Amino acid sequence: MAYNAAAMMDALLEAKNAVGDRTGQLDVALVLGSGLGAFADGLDGARPIPYEKIPHMPTSGVSGHAGNLVVGKKGGRRVAAMQGRPHLYEGWSAQEVVFGVRLMALLGARTLIVTNAAGGIAPGLAPGDLMAIADQLNLTGTSSLLGPNDERLGERFVDMTAAYDRDLIETANGVAGALGFELQQGVYAGLLGPAYETPAEVRMLRTLGADAVGMSTVLEVLAARQLGMRVLGISCISNLAAGISDGPLSHAEVQDTAARVRSRFESLLSGILESI
Ligand code: HPA
């Protein structure tokens, strides 16, 4: 079935009208990945809006993803945080996956901070490391910008030269330094999933220039750049990618590592929100 840009825009505007009086004019949009959602509960005056209460908002069934849009303040900024995100591998379309990011942009957010759990590929990355995303490889085989373009969301051909904002990475580096740890930096490869990669695929990804691998983020960043948002991406290296570590990979390991770095991750995000 042909993709209908006008219907998608109508759905976004309906969602905006439904939640706009609760969110107010947003400054920053946040997407919290696997096991990282708790940060949103610590926003000043945090108010969760369950995804089911937002017209057309896809829900995520993945364990570790709560499914709330949490609105609050941090560092004087009005923030909306997606506690969990829909993924392609759950069967959502590329356009559905980015519904929340587009909604937060229409509600005023000019900055997007995306976070995820990712497998470490580059030598020097260890489980528990936090990595600023310097650039991305969209290996999902699709794009959130597919179909007839609605100019209200931005232009047809989107420049991805500086998809991740250098100034925001510098800010994040400074915050990490003040907190006493080094923020790693690298290229994030976004794959369809849901299986973890084979060791051969991980070797291929390394050859292609990937430092970390996951199953999210890249489509959100495409949509955000189309909308002209400034983007910062932070990966929590939850495990070494397949074949780099000896043992098998599991979602439990991903969640355990996220829990272990939670306080460092939350301090980093708070510091960034206070400095931008
Ligand atoms: N591969 C893909 N996605 C992931 C990984 C991984 O190793 N770890 C967390 N998300």
Side-chain angles (χ1 to χ4, degrees), residues 8 11-12 15 55-58 95-103:
M8 208 251 326
L12 280 166
H56 311 288
M57 180 85 173
Q95 289 81 15
E96 286 165 331
V97 160
V98 301
F99 188 86
V101 168
R102 285 178 166 155
L103 173 61

Side-chain angles (χ1 to χ4, degrees), residues 117-120 188 195-197 213-215 236 238-242 249 254:
Y188 175 91
Y196 293 114
E197 301 69 39
V213 56
M215 306 174 193
C236 164
S238 54
N239 57 282
L240 294 180
L249 272 54
V254 170

Side-chain angles (χ1 to χ4, degrees), residues 5-6 13 45 59 67 83 88-89 91 101 124 136 148 154 167 186 197 212 223-224 252-253:
L13 293 174
T59 52
Q83 233 170 12
L88 283 176
Y89 63 72
V101 168
Q136 72 180 30
D167 292 341
E197 301 69 39
E253 179 190 5

Side-chain angles (χ1 to χ4, degrees), residues 144-195:
S144 43
L145 311 182
L146 278 186
N149 192 49
D150 192 310
E151 293 285 327
R152 286 171 288 184
L153 295 176
E155 52 191 9
R156 168 82 290 184
F157 299 106
V158 176
D159 177 30
M160 292 293 284
T161 309
Y164 293 86
D165 189 276
R166 292 306 313 175
D167 292 341
L168 288 177
I169 294 176
E170 282 318 307
T171 299
N173 278 336
V175 172
L179 289 168
F181 71 93
E182 197 193 341
L183 188 61
Q184 304 277 3
Q185 202 174 128
V187 173
Y188 175 91
L191 276 64
L192 178 62

Side-chain angles (χ1 to χ4, degrees), residues 14-134:
E14 191 185 337
K16 179 185 174 195
N17 288 337
V19 298
D21 53 347
R22 273 173 286 173
T23 65
Q25 175 83 3
L26 298 177
D27 298 308
V28 181
L30 202 55
V31 182
L32 298 167
S34 265
L36 304 171
F39 176 79
D41 300 322
L43 292 173
D44 302 332
R47 286 176 66 185
I49 309 172
Y51 290 164
E52 298 87 66
K53 298 274 164 64
I54 306 174
H56 311 288
M57 180 85 173
T59 52
S60 172
V62 183
S63 128
H65 288 263
N68 294 313
L69 184 70
V70 183
V71 186
K73 277 194 153 189
K74 200 74 173 179
R77 303 283 185 292
R78 280 201 77 77
V79 180
M82 286 177 62
Q83 233 170 12
R85 53 153 66 86
H87 301 85
L88 283 176
Y89 63 72
E90 294 172 90
W92 300 108
S93 69
Q95 289 81 15
E96 286 165 331
V97 160
V98 301
F99 188 86
V101 168
R102 285 178 166 155
L103 173 61
M104 293 187 285
L106 293 179
L107 289 164
R110 304 303 307 140
T111 302
L112 172 70
I113 304 179
V114 271
T115 69
N116 55 51
I121 298 176
L125 284 182
D129 280 353
L130 297 176
M131 184 191 92
I133 304 178

